[in-house]
């Protein structure tokens, strides 16, 4: 979140520029809580008492972090861990067998145990491995860019719907987005020029005087929505856009890809080290595919709502009215943020299968402070020696921490996977669930080095 402040300042600068240019109806918006098809959600309408919003700690705050900044942070962390990052290397082919993969690149060949394709929507790994990629064909052409332009006084700020499409102006100076609903682009690979952007913005906005002088960055996108049925084929796996593609509306793609990586990373590491229980890698598709399928449907619904035709406009009016209520805003915000997501794990406890709450502990630490080493975490909140003994055989895979949690006095313990998912939870005063803890430990962390007495 360290990068949020500069972008919030650029957002404020955009509003000041709009006011100085004499634009009408420019005001500081309410607290942002996301959007659905460009219909903004007001943070002041969120129901903070909803249990799904409970326990997220500092991560509950909304900030603006550019993707480039996130990439720098992740790259720095990888370097800190000694990861060999080879940039500018192109994968040209591979031969996958039962015992490993020969990978061929523009800089030579190498042998590896596993190959994970995280190479985007036009994934070479997916194509060469022969993964099927069913879904729906594109119907729109979208363009998003950071530009230098003049003649913007007639442009509305934020999201705007017209008779010829949709456009966005802001929230940063020079940021534009246009959507035309007359089919996909003729050449997806062609560079996005200032002339193309200017023509599209004039067409969709109806502002003939807007002129683009310089393009800082630009991209072209469509709404094709596709997903591989299985994220694994032998020793080849897919993650992120290589496994699923959709329009960027709602901003779900980056979170979805990071979620794939978090889910797969620790499972693949356990497999490589020979400590994975039977079928652990198969749970990757089982857990992530349903979430990917939901995002595709969420994306399709937004495109349908944005169409420049009478039925979509009528429905958009209904949704806009509903988002003026606490119930609907809370529903949408829970979906967009992911706090309502749950993996289907065998337990009735409300925390199991969900992202673990970032509990504040009596020793001054938070739960997240104990997950930095990539191991699991057994949090003993009731000072229960038998609970700790159950995890004694997993000392190289599961960290055990005993502390009280004043904010959740009824919670007796949590087992948290390396990806932050709660694998087991127990409350004080309820039937003994230690056998369930044993089952969860074996399911996710394999055979213990020794069995508890």
């Amino acid at each position: 979140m360290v990068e949020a402040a500069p972008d919030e300042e650029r957002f404020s600068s955009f509003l000041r520029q709009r006011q100085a240019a004499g634009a009408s109806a420019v005001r500081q918006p309410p607290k942002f809580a996301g959007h659905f098809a460009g219909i903004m959600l007001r943070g002041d309408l969120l129901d903070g008492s909803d249990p799904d919003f409970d326990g997220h700690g500092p991560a509950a705050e909304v900030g603006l972090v550019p993707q480039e900044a996130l990439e720098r942070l992740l790259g720095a962390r990888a370097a800190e861990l000694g990861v060999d990052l080879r940039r500018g290397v192109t994968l040209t082919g591979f031969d996958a067998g039962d015992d490993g993969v020969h990978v061929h690149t523009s800089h030579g060949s190498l042998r590896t145990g596993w190959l994970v394709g995280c190479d985007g929507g036009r994934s070479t790994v997916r194509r060469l491995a022969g993964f099927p990629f069913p879904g729906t064909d594109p119907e729109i052409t979208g363009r998003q860019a950071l530009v230098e332009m003049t003649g913007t006084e007639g442009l509305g700020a934020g999201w705007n719907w017209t008779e010829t499409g949709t456009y966005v102006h802001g929230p940063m100076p020079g940021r534009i987005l246009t959507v035309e609903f007359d089919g996909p682009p003729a050449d997806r690979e062609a560079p996005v020029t200032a002339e193309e952007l200017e023509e599209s913005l004039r067409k969709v906005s109806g502002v003939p005087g807007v002129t683009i002088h310089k393009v800082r960055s630009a991209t072209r996108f469509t709404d094709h929505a596709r997903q591989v049925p299985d994220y694994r084929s032998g020793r080849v796996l897919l993650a992120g856009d290589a496994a699923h593609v959709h329009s960027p509306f709602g901003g779900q793609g980056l979170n979805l890809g990071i979620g794939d990586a978090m889910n797969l990373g620790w499972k693949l590491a356990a497999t490589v080290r020979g400590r994975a229980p039977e079928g652990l890698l198969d749970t990757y598709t089982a857990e992530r595919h349903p979430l990917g399928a939901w995002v595709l449907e969420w994306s399709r619904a937004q495109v349908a709502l944005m169409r420049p035709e009478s039925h979509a406009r009528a429905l958009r009016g209904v949704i806009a009215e509903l988002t003026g209520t606490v119930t609907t805003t809370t529903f949408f915000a829970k979906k967009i943020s992911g706090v309502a997501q749950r993996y289907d794990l065998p337990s009735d406890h409300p925390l199991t299968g969900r992202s673990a709450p970032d509990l504040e502990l009596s020793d001054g630490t938070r739960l997240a402070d104990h997950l930095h080493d990539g191991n699991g975490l057994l949090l003993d909140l009731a000072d229960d020696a038998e609970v700790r003994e159950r995890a004694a055989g997993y000392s190289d895979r599961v960290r055990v921490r005993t502390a009280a949690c004043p904010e959740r006095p009824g919670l007796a313990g949590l087992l948290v996977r390396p990806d932050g998912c709660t694998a087991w939870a127990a409350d004080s005063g309820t039937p003994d669930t230690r056998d369930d803890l044993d089952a969860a430990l074996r399911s996710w962390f394999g055979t213990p080095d020794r069995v508890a007495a």
Side-chain angles (χ1 to χ4, degrees):
M1 304 301 289
V2 293
E3 298 284 344
D7 282 280
E8 288 168 0
E9 172 54 33
R10 284 196 285 270
F11 182 24
S12 298
S13 173
F14 170 72
L15 293 178
R16 290 195 296 269
Q17 289 178 19
R18 297 287 297 155
Q19 291 169 330
S24 60
V26 176
R27 60 184 178 84
Q28 193 72 27
K31 181 180 178 182
F32 179 63
H35 76 86
F36 184 77
I39 300 172
M40 294 297 151
L41 304 176
R42 291 172 45 188
D44 58 328
L45 291 178
L46 287 179
D47 179 7
S49 66
D50 189 292
D52 285 335
F53 288 127
D54 187 36
H56 293 283
E61 295 301 316
V62 174
L64 301 174
V65 183
Q67 182 172 335
E68 295 84 356
L70 183 59
E71 289 175 358
R72 287 197 303 271
L73 291 170
L74 293 175
R77 177 58 175 162
E80 181 182 310
L81 294 172
V83 176
D84 181 13
L85 294 175
R86 303 184 185 183
R87 303 186 184 277
V89 178
T90 302
L91 182 141
T92 58
F94 60 85
D95 303 299
D98 293 336
D99 58 348
V101 185
H102 281 287
V103 180
H104 313 297
T105 79
S106 57
H107 287 54
S109 298
L110 56 94
R111 172 78 175 176
T112 182
W114 301 84
L115 174 63
V116 182
C118 306
D119 50 341
R122 285 165 272 186
S123 169
T124 301
V125 174
R126 182 187 65 231
R127 176 175 55 83
L128 294 179
F131 282 89
F133 204 37
T136 51
D137 293 332
E139 299 180 3
I140 70 169
T141 295
R143 300 171 179 90
Q144 183 168 241
L146 284 174
V147 302
E148 294 179 9
M149 58 184 177
T150 57
T152 62
E153 294 80 8
L155 295 178
W159 286 77
N160 300 268
W161 298 270
T162 72
E163 294 296 325
T164 51
T166 300
Y167 76 94
V168 181
H169 182 207
M172 306 304 175
R175 189 255 180 168
I176 59 170
L177 180 149
T178 65
V179 184
E180 298 177 48
F181 293 81
D182 53 1
D187 185 358
R188 181 82 186 275
E189 304 294 333
V192 183
T193 65
E195 291 75 19
E196 177 186 347
L197 291 169
E198 183 178 286
E199 179 184 357
S200 180
L201 185 56
R202 288 181 176 184
K203 174 183 176 181
V204 175
S205 70
V207 179
V210 62
T211 301
I212 295 177
H213 303 282
K214 182 178 180 180
V215 179
R216 295 179 180 174
S217 64
T219 185
R220 195 186 287 111
F221 64 88
T222 70
D223 63 328
H224 67 150
R226 300 183 180 280
Q227 183 182 28
V228 295
D230 194 324
Y231 289 10
R232 177 188 176 190
S233 177
R235 287 182 171 265
V236 180
L237 302 105
L238 302 177
D241 288 351
H244 39 70
V245 295
H246 54 87
S247 78
F249 302 128
Q252 305 294 294
L254 183 59
N255 286 346
L256 187 62
I258 290 177
D260 289 348
M262 289 289 293
N263 189 286
L264 173 60
W266 73 274
K267 295 174 181 177
L268 187 56
T271 301
V272 169
R273 292 170 181 167
R275 304 305 298 264
E278 183 70 26
L280 182 64
L281 270 186
D282 294 330
T283 67
Y284 169 52
T285 294
E287 292 182 346
R288 296 304 299 174
H289 191 280
L291 294 181
W294 169 77
V295 170
L296 263 63
E297 290 292 87
W298 190 260
S299 173
R300 292 183 181 111
Q302 292 182 80
V303 172
L305 202 61
M306 294 165 59
R307 293 187 182 284
E309 53 91 17
S310 57
H311 292 82
R313 280 193 293 272
L315 184 57
R316 195 161 58 240
V318 173
I319 298 298
E321 187 173 353
L322 287 172
T323 57
T325 68
V326 170
T327 299
T328 304
T329 295
T330 302
F331 167 80
F332 276 115
K334 286 166 58 174
K335 289 287 190 179
I336 292 170
S337 66
V339 299
Q341 293 177 357
R342 182 182 186 275
Y343 296 143
D344 186 16
L345 302 189
S347 172
D348 294 330
H349 196 283
L351 291 180
T352 305
R354 295 182 180 272
S355 180
D358 192 16
L359 303 174
E360 186 172 0
L361 306 178
S362 56
D363 59 6
T365 65
R366 305 193 72 95
L367 182 147
D369 296 330
H370 305 288
L371 291 174
H372 294 171
D373 59 2
N375 288 319
L377 172 68
L378 178 60
L379 197 58
D380 169 26
L381 300 174
D383 196 8
D384 189 328
E386 186 173 344
V387 163
R388 297 193 295 272
E389 175 62 20
R390 300 289 175 123
Y394 297 89
S395 59
D396 60 335
R397 286 157 278 173
V398 179
R399 174 185 290 195
V400 179
R401 187 78 179 185
T402 299
C405 182
E407 65 183 77
R408 298 286 288 269
L411 191 60
L414 290 174
L415 175 64
V416 185
R417 302 187 327 194
D419 59 353
C421 174
T422 305
W424 169 84
D427 294 325
S428 302
T430 58
D432 187 0
T433 60
R434 294 186 184 93
D435 289 344
D436 294 334
L437 172 59
D438 286 342
L441 285 165
R442 288 181 177 273
S443 292
W444 300 112
F445 300 103
T447 304
D449 291 331
R450 65 183 179 84
V451 180

